[in-house]
Amino acid sequence: TVLDIEVTVGRTGVLTPTAVFTPVTLAGTTVSRAVLHNEDNINKLQIGIGDTAVIRKAGEIIPEVVKVTKHTSEVFKMPNTCPSCNAKVQRLEDEAAIRCLNPECPAQLIRNLTHFASRDAMDIEGLGEAVVIKLVQSDAIAKIEDIYSLKKEDISSLDKMGEKSAENLITAIEKSKNNDLYRLIFGFGIRMIGVKAAKLLEQNFKNLY
């Protein structure tokens, strides 16, 4: 049974619906969530909250909704405004995705900062999503470049973050300044630019100047 359909905002502003359902066992693991991808897929499945659905693991890994076997409500409608910042959302031509186009959207900021610090990007150990959220909520950072202006006291004052954690994070941030250029390019989160494309750009342009 579909208990809820949650909509989250990714780092590029894409709104992604996820079905939350009564826990079931699939391929040896218990799952209770399945990504519904986009508005077109929701309409194809004709799925709504309270419906009964068949779930499977795509490729034995990712839970997905195969079909709805019992309808008890209206088909779920994607929101007209961003669930994070309440800005109007838009579906661009030739895209299945609905996007929040607000550059100051908090959810996008958190995702962008987390991506920038991730292992394949700038690899800043200790700057995961939980710490990023705390830093954003405390107004210590509001954009990517603010990471490199952080002081030890900005970090140590956060909940569950002591002096040692702060020192380690500052050290990791300093270390990241010596990374290869492709990591920085990938860390910017430019659409259609993965690690491979970032490496090609580094080979061709050598620097950012």
Side-chain angles (χ1 to χ4, degrees), residues 8 17 31 35 37 44 51 54 73 79 99 106-107 132 139 145 179 184 189 193 200 204:
T8 56
V31 296
V35 176
H37 303 293
K44 178 183 176 182
D51 289 354
V54 176
S73 61
R99 294 180 187 272
V132 166
D139 295 324
E145 52 262 45
N179 281 341
L184 179 62
I193 301 296
L200 290 173
N204 280 275

PDB file of all heavy atoms in Angstrom, residues 8 17 31 35 37 44 51 54 73 79 99 106-107 132 139 145 179 184 189 193 200 204:
ATOM      1  N   THR A   8      11.248  15.417  -3.520  1.00  0.00           N
ATOM      2  CA  THR A   8      12.489  16.048  -3.089  1.00  0.00           C
ATOM      3  C   THR A   8      13.091  16.843  -4.241  1.00  0.00           C
ATOM      4  O   THR A   8      12.756  16.640  -5.409  1.00  0.00           O
ATOM      5  CB  THR A   8      13.510  15.001  -2.613  1.00  0.00           C
ATOM      6  OG1 THR A   8      13.729  14.041  -3.661  1.00  0.00           O
ATOM      7  CG2 THR A   8      13.005  14.274  -1.376  1.00  0.00           C
ATOM      8  N   PRO A  17       9.709  12.515  -7.388  1.00  0.00           N
ATOM      9  CA  PRO A  17       8.709  11.888  -6.516  1.00  0.00           C
ATOM     10  C   PRO A  17       9.147  10.490  -6.088  1.00  0.00           C
ATOM     11  O   PRO A  17       9.716   9.739  -6.882  1.00  0.00           O
ATOM     12  CB  PRO A  17       7.465  11.819  -7.407  1.00  0.00           C
ATOM     13  CG  PRO A  17       8.018  11.690  -8.797  1.00  0.00           C
ATOM     14  CD  PRO A  17       9.334  12.439  -8.812  1.00  0.00           C
ATOM     15  N   VAL A  31      12.410  -3.233   1.901  1.00  0.00           N
ATOM     16  CA  VAL A  31      12.353  -1.903   1.285  1.00  0.00           C
ATOM     17  C   VAL A  31      10.998  -1.260   1.564  1.00  0.00           C
ATOM     18  O   VAL A  31       9.994  -1.945   1.734  1.00  0.00           O
ATOM     19  CB  VAL A  31      12.595  -1.978  -0.239  1.00  0.00           C
ATOM     20  CG1 VAL A  31      13.995  -2.476  -0.546  1.00  0.00           C
ATOM     21  CG2 VAL A  31      11.557  -2.864  -0.913  1.00  0.00           C
ATOM     22  N   VAL A  35      11.563   5.091  -6.120  1.00  0.00           N
ATOM     23  CA  VAL A  35      11.538   6.336  -6.891  1.00  0.00           C
ATOM     24  C   VAL A  35      10.544   6.217  -8.039  1.00  0.00           C
ATOM     25  O   VAL A  35      10.532   5.224  -8.768  1.00  0.00           O
ATOM     26  CB  VAL A  35      12.939   6.666  -7.444  1.00  0.00           C
ATOM     27  CG1 VAL A  35      12.893   7.904  -8.320  1.00  0.00           C
ATOM     28  CG2 VAL A  35      13.927   6.872  -6.316  1.00  0.00           C
ATOM     29  N   HIS A  37      10.409   8.622 -10.401  1.00  0.00           N
ATOM     30  CA  HIS A  37      11.111   9.291 -11.500  1.00  0.00           C
ATOM     31  C   HIS A  37      10.542  10.656 -11.883  1.00  0.00           C
ATOM     32  O   HIS A  37      11.199  11.676 -11.700  1.00  0.00           O
ATOM     33  CB  HIS A  37      11.195   8.395 -12.732  1.00  0.00           C
ATOM     34  CG  HIS A  37      11.868   7.088 -12.458  1.00  0.00           C
ATOM     35  ND1 HIS A  37      13.211   6.998 -12.130  1.00  0.00           N
ATOM     36  CD2 HIS A  37      11.393   5.827 -12.427  1.00  0.00           C
ATOM     37  CE1 HIS A  37      13.536   5.743 -11.930  1.00  0.00           C
ATOM     38  NE2 HIS A  37      12.453   5.005 -12.098  1.00  0.00           N
ATOM     39  N   LYS A  44       1.586   7.431 -16.169  1.00  0.00           N
ATOM     40  CA  LYS A  44       1.576   6.115 -16.813  1.00  0.00           C
ATOM     41  C   LYS A  44       1.079   5.042 -15.848  1.00  0.00           C
ATOM     42  O   LYS A  44       0.276   4.184 -16.210  1.00  0.00           O
ATOM     43  CB  LYS A  44       2.981   5.767 -17.299  1.00  0.00           C
ATOM     44  CG  LYS A  44       3.106   4.392 -17.935  1.00  0.00           C
ATOM     45  CD  LYS A  44       4.552   4.098 -18.319  1.00  0.00           C
ATOM     46  CE  LYS A  44       4.697   2.678 -18.862  1.00  0.00           C
ATOM     47  NZ  LYS A  44       6.108   2.364 -19.203  1.00  0.00           N
ATOM     48  N   ASP A  51      -3.123   3.725  -2.896  1.00  0.00           N
ATOM     49  CA  ASP A  51      -3.248   2.649  -3.880  1.00  0.00           C
ATOM     50  C   ASP A  51      -2.427   1.424  -3.468  1.00  0.00           C
ATOM     51  O   ASP A  51      -1.491   1.522  -2.674  1.00  0.00           O
ATOM     52  CB  ASP A  51      -2.762   3.127  -5.252  1.00  0.00           C
ATOM     53  CG  ASP A  51      -3.708   4.134  -5.883  1.00  0.00           C
ATOM     54  OD1 ASP A  51      -4.783   4.376  -5.312  1.00  0.00           O
ATOM     55  OD2 ASP A  51      -3.356   4.684  -6.946  1.00  0.00           O
ATOM     56  N   VAL A  54       2.400  -3.144  -7.141  1.00  0.00           N
ATOM     57  CA  VAL A  54       3.375  -4.232  -7.244  1.00  0.00           C
ATOM     58  C   VAL A  54       4.761  -3.602  -7.350  1.00  0.00           C
ATOM     59  O   VAL A  54       4.998  -2.726  -8.185  1.00  0.00           O
ATOM     60  CB  VAL A  54       3.103  -5.116  -8.478  1.00  0.00           C
ATOM     61  CG1 VAL A  54       4.201  -6.183  -8.623  1.00  0.00           C
ATOM     62  CG2 VAL A  54       1.740  -5.772  -8.377  1.00  0.00           C
ATOM     63  N   SER A  73      -7.599   6.248  -4.785  1.00  0.00           N
ATOM     64  CA  SER A  73      -7.579   7.717  -4.738  1.00  0.00           C
ATOM     65  C   SER A  73      -7.257   8.270  -6.119  1.00  0.00           C
ATOM     66  O   SER A  73      -7.023   7.520  -7.073  1.00  0.00           O
ATOM     67  CB  SER A  73      -6.518   8.189  -3.742  1.00  0.00           C
ATOM     68  OG  SER A  73      -5.226   7.754  -4.133  1.00  0.00           O
ATOM     69  N   PRO A  79       3.614  18.985  -7.409  1.00  0.00           N
ATOM     70  CA  PRO A  79       3.345  20.335  -6.914  1.00  0.00           C
ATOM     71  C   PRO A  79       3.666  21.410  -7.948  1.00  0.00           C
ATOM     72  O   PRO A  79       4.508  21.226  -8.828  1.00  0.00           O
ATOM     73  CB  PRO A  79       4.269  20.445  -5.697  1.00  0.00           C
ATOM     74  CG  PRO A  79       5.366  19.468  -5.958  1.00  0.00           C
ATOM     75  CD  PRO A  79       4.725  18.329  -6.688  1.00  0.00           C
ATOM     76  N   ARG A  99      11.369  21.311 -12.798  1.00  0.00           N
ATOM     77  CA  ARG A  99      12.493  21.923 -12.096  1.00  0.00           C
ATOM     78  C   ARG A  99      12.089  23.172 -11.310  1.00  0.00           C
ATOM     79  O   ARG A  99      11.228  23.934 -11.723  1.00  0.00           O
ATOM     80  CB  ARG A  99      13.597  22.346 -13.081  1.00  0.00           C
ATOM     81  CG  ARG A  99      14.270  21.216 -13.790  1.00  0.00           C
ATOM     82  CD  ARG A  99      15.342  21.735 -14.750  1.00  0.00           C
ATOM     83  NE  ARG A  99      15.899  20.663 -15.556  1.00  0.00           N
ATOM     84  CZ  ARG A  99      16.923  19.924 -15.187  1.00  0.00           C
ATOM     85  NH1 ARG A  99      17.521  20.159 -14.027  1.00  0.00           N
ATOM     86  NH2 ARG A  99      17.377  18.957 -15.953  1.00  0.00           N
ATOM     87  N   PRO A 106      17.185  26.520  -1.028  1.00  0.00           N
ATOM     88  CA  PRO A 106      17.991  25.868   0.011  1.00  0.00           C
ATOM     89  C   PRO A 106      18.318  24.411  -0.290  1.00  0.00           C
ATOM     90  O   PRO A 106      19.441  23.959  -0.047  1.00  0.00           O
ATOM     91  CB  PRO A 106      17.112  25.985   1.263  1.00  0.00           C
ATOM     92  CG  PRO A 106      16.226  27.155   1.008  1.00  0.00           C
ATOM     93  CD  PRO A 106      15.963  27.126  -0.474  1.00  0.00           C
ATOM     94  N   ALA A 107      17.356  23.665  -0.830  1.00  0.00           N
ATOM     95  CA  ALA A 107      17.597  22.246  -1.117  1.00  0.00           C
ATOM     96  C   ALA A 107      18.673  22.083  -2.183  1.00  0.00           C
ATOM     97  O   ALA A 107      19.549  21.225  -2.080  1.00  0.00           O
ATOM     98  CB  ALA A 107      16.302  21.573  -1.573  1.00  0.00           C
ATOM     99  N   VAL A 132      26.944  19.729   6.080  1.00  0.00           N
ATOM    100  CA  VAL A 132      26.568  20.818   5.171  1.00  0.00           C
ATOM    101  C   VAL A 132      25.268  21.474   5.633  1.00  0.00           C
ATOM    102  O   VAL A 132      25.155  22.704   5.669  1.00  0.00           O
ATOM    103  CB  VAL A 132      26.420  20.291   3.720  1.00  0.00           C
ATOM    104  CG1 VAL A 132      25.695  21.321   2.849  1.00  0.00           C
ATOM    105  CG2 VAL A 132      27.777  19.981   3.128  1.00  0.00           C
ATOM    106  N   ASP A 139      24.136  29.707   8.841  1.00  0.00           N
ATOM    107  CA  ASP A 139      24.557  30.824   7.980  1.00  0.00           C
ATOM    108  C   ASP A 139      26.073  30.920   7.831  1.00  0.00           C
ATOM    109  O   ASP A 139      26.604  31.984   7.472  1.00  0.00           O
ATOM    110  CB  ASP A 139      24.008  32.168   8.508  1.00  0.00           C
ATOM    111  CG  ASP A 139      22.490  32.238   8.446  1.00  0.00           C
ATOM    112  OD1 ASP A 139      21.922  31.704   7.486  1.00  0.00           O
ATOM    113  OD2 ASP A 139      21.885  32.811   9.375  1.00  0.00           O
ATOM    114  N   GLU A 145      32.005  28.916  -2.629  1.00  0.00           N
ATOM    115  CA  GLU A 145      33.270  29.556  -2.241  1.00  0.00           C
ATOM    116  C   GLU A 145      33.374  29.824  -0.741  1.00  0.00           C
ATOM    117  O   GLU A 145      34.481  29.971  -0.211  1.00  0.00           O
ATOM    118  CB  GLU A 145      33.493  30.861  -3.025  1.00  0.00           C
ATOM    119  CG  GLU A 145      32.345  31.837  -2.986  1.00  0.00           C
ATOM    120  CD  GLU A 145      31.459  31.738  -4.217  1.00  0.00           C
ATOM    121  OE1 GLU A 145      31.131  30.602  -4.616  1.00  0.00           O
ATOM    122  OE2 GLU A 145      31.090  32.794  -4.765  1.00  0.00           O
ATOM    123  N   ASN A 179      43.970  19.753  -5.342  1.00  0.00           N
ATOM    124  CA  ASN A 179      43.377  18.726  -6.205  1.00  0.00           C
ATOM    125  C   ASN A 179      43.589  19.032  -7.683  1.00  0.00           C
ATOM    126  O   ASN A 179      43.843  20.171  -8.075  1.00  0.00           O
ATOM    127  CB  ASN A 179      41.867  18.622  -5.939  1.00  0.00           C
ATOM    128  CG  ASN A 179      41.546  17.834  -4.684  1.00  0.00           C
ATOM    129  OD1 ASN A 179      42.376  17.078  -4.193  1.00  0.00           O
ATOM    130  ND2 ASN A 179      40.348  18.015  -4.157  1.00  0.00           N
ATOM    131  N   LEU A 184      37.626  19.933  -9.610  1.00  0.00           N
ATOM    132  CA  LEU A 184      36.941  21.214  -9.425  1.00  0.00           C
ATOM    133  C   LEU A 184      35.837  21.385 -10.462  1.00  0.00           C
ATOM    134  O   LEU A 184      34.716  21.791 -10.127  1.00  0.00           O
ATOM    135  CB  LEU A 184      37.941  22.364  -9.519  1.00  0.00           C
ATOM    136  CG  LEU A 184      37.373  23.784  -9.380  1.00  0.00           C
ATOM    137  CD1 LEU A 184      36.732  23.976  -8.010  1.00  0.00           C
ATOM    138  CD2 LEU A 184      38.460  24.821  -9.630  1.00  0.00           C
ATOM    139  N   GLY A 189      29.206  20.875 -10.616  1.00  0.00           N
ATOM    140  CA  GLY A 189      27.876  20.312 -10.844  1.00  0.00           C
ATOM    141  C   GLY A 189      27.217  20.792 -12.121  1.00  0.00           C
ATOM    142  O   GLY A 189      25.996  20.916 -12.190  1.00  0.00           O
ATOM    143  N   ILE A 193      28.093  17.290 -17.352  1.00  0.00           N
ATOM    144  CA  ILE A 193      29.542  17.172 -17.167  1.00  0.00           C
ATOM    145  C   ILE A 193      29.829  16.205 -16.019  1.00  0.00           C
ATOM    146  O   ILE A 193      29.728  16.551 -14.845  1.00  0.00           O
ATOM    147  CB  ILE A 193      30.202  18.536 -16.870  1.00  0.00           C
ATOM    148  CG1 ILE A 193      29.940  19.508 -18.005  1.00  0.00           C
ATOM    149  CG2 ILE A 193      31.709  18.361 -16.667  1.00  0.00           C
ATOM    150  CD1 ILE A 193      30.544  19.114 -19.338  1.00  0.00           C
ATOM    151  N   LEU A 200      38.412  15.495 -19.710  1.00  0.00           N
ATOM    152  CA  LEU A 200      38.662  15.942 -21.082  1.00  0.00           C
ATOM    153  C   LEU A 200      38.818  17.458 -21.141  1.00  0.00           C
ATOM    154  O   LEU A 200      39.680  17.979 -21.864  1.00  0.00           O
ATOM    155  CB  LEU A 200      37.517  15.496 -22.003  1.00  0.00           C
ATOM    156  CG  LEU A 200      37.423  13.996 -22.295  1.00  0.00           C
ATOM    157  CD1 LEU A 200      36.158  13.671 -23.063  1.00  0.00           C
ATOM    158  CD2 LEU A 200      38.645  13.526 -23.087  1.00  0.00           C
ATOM    159  N   ASN A 204      42.198  19.702 -22.276  1.00  0.00           N
ATOM    160  CA  ASN A 204      42.176  20.674 -23.354  1.00  0.00           C
ATOM    161  C   ASN A 204      42.475  22.099 -22.914  1.00  0.00           C
ATOM    162  O   ASN A 204      43.062  22.876 -23.674  1.00  0.00           O
ATOM    163  CB  ASN A 204      40.815  20.630 -24.052  1.00  0.00           C
ATOM    164  CG  ASN A 204      40.694  19.479 -25.032  1.00  0.00           C
ATOM    165  OD1 ASN A 204      41.101  19.600 -26.186  1.00  0.00           O
ATOM    166  ND2 ASN A 204      40.168  18.348 -24.565  1.00  0.00           N
TER     167      ASN A 204
END
